[in-house]
């Protein structure tokens, strides 16, 4: 017979592993989306295709690691705030609205080249509250690095870089950050 404490500990362990696995998979998939976007900014067709193929391989590897890595010992159980799932829904909803606003404002102003920069900034900023809501402190550095990638993209624009160059820089930079976060979450928790 198990006690209430044992059941709670087992449930917390399962929740910790499940959240980390799902987080690592979501990060890997969105890393692939950013890699494909970045690859689309590369004029050389074979290089663009190679980036896409490499992106698929890295994302698939990250998904495999997400399943295998989260089976190992758990160093720290997550401590989720009350109503954390509602908070996650609100943060993700706000992120989606902000992305649509970036796209609409960029297109309406005739400056579509700002779309990758703006979306990367929005995605980066949304990781700050997610770090607390999922009790994943490493999401704070994910947020900071994605924000930095968006600022680099803005710098490329300010220096006269083309929309394609900005898409390549921001897309590939964001992909690397998200994949790094995916592997870290899967392997280190």
């Amino acid at each position: 017979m198990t006690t209430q404490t044992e059941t709670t500990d087992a449930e917390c362990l399962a929740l910790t592993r499940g959240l980390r696995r799902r987080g690592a998979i979501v990060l890997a998939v969105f890393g692939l989306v950013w890699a494909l976007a970045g690859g689309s900014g590369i004029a050389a067709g074979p290089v663009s295709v190679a980036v896409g193929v490499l992106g698929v391989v890295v994302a698939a590897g990250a998904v495999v690691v997400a399943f295998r890595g989260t089976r190992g010992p758990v160093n720290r159980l997550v401590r989720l705030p009350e109503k954390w799932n509602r908070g996650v829904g609100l943060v993700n909803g706000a992120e989606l609205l902000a992305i649509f606003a970036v796209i609409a404002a960029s297109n309406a102003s005739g400056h579509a080249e700002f779309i990758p920069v703006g979306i990367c900034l929005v995605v980066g900023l949304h990781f700050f509250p997610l770090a607390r809501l999922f009790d994943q402190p490493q999401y704070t550095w994910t947020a900071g690095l994605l924000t930095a990638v968006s600022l680099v993209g803005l710098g490329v624009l300010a220096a006269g870089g083309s929309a394609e160059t900005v898409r390549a820089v921001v897309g590939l930079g964001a992909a690397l950050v998200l994949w790094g976060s995916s592997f870290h979450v899967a392997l280190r928790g």
Side-chain angles (χ1 to χ4, degrees):
M1 184 166 143
T2 61
T3 66
Q4 181 65 27
T5 303
E6 290 174 39
T7 303
T8 302
D9 289 346
E11 289 172 352
C12 190
L13 180 62
L15 178 64
T16 296
R17 282 191 170 125
L19 285 175
R20 289 184 179 152
R21 181 178 301 120
R22 283 191 299 264
I25 291 168
V26 168
L27 289 163
V29 169
F30 278 102
L32 175 59
V33 170
W34 277 104
L36 295 173
S40 74
I42 299 172
V47 176
S48 181
V49 170
V51 166
V53 170
L54 183 61
V56 169
V57 170
V58 173
V63 169
V64 168
V65 170
F67 278 99
R68 290 187 180 164
T70 55
R71 284 190 214 146
V74 173
N75 300 332
R76 183 183 65 82
L77 296 175
V78 294
R79 294 187 185 277
L80 302 173
E82 218 173 294
K83 298 182 182 179
W84 66 273
N85 50 354
R86 183 174 186 265
V88 169
L90 290 172
V91 168
N92 288 336
E95 176 200 27
L96 191 59
L97 287 174
I99 288 171
F100 284 132
V102 163
I103 294 168
S106 296
N107 284 330
S109 67
H111 294 286
E113 66 274 12
F114 283 97
I115 291 174
V117 171
I119 291 175
C120 188
L121 179 63
V122 168
V123 172
L125 293 176
H126 108 289
F127 273 99
F128 283 114
L130 289 184
R132 183 185 63 78
L133 290 167
F134 282 123
D135 190 26
Q136 291 295 131
Q138 66 270 45
Y139 286 171
T140 301
W141 61 261
T142 304
L145 289 172
L146 286 173
T147 300
V149 167
S150 71
L151 294 175
V152 168
L154 188 60
V156 170
L157 275 174
S162 69
E164 291 78 16
T165 301
V166 171
R167 199 165 58 243
V169 168
V170 172
L172 298 176
L176 292 174
V177 170
L178 292 173
W179 286 331
S181 298
S182 175
F183 283 107
H184 188 272
V185 168
L187 295 173
R188 302 293 306 257

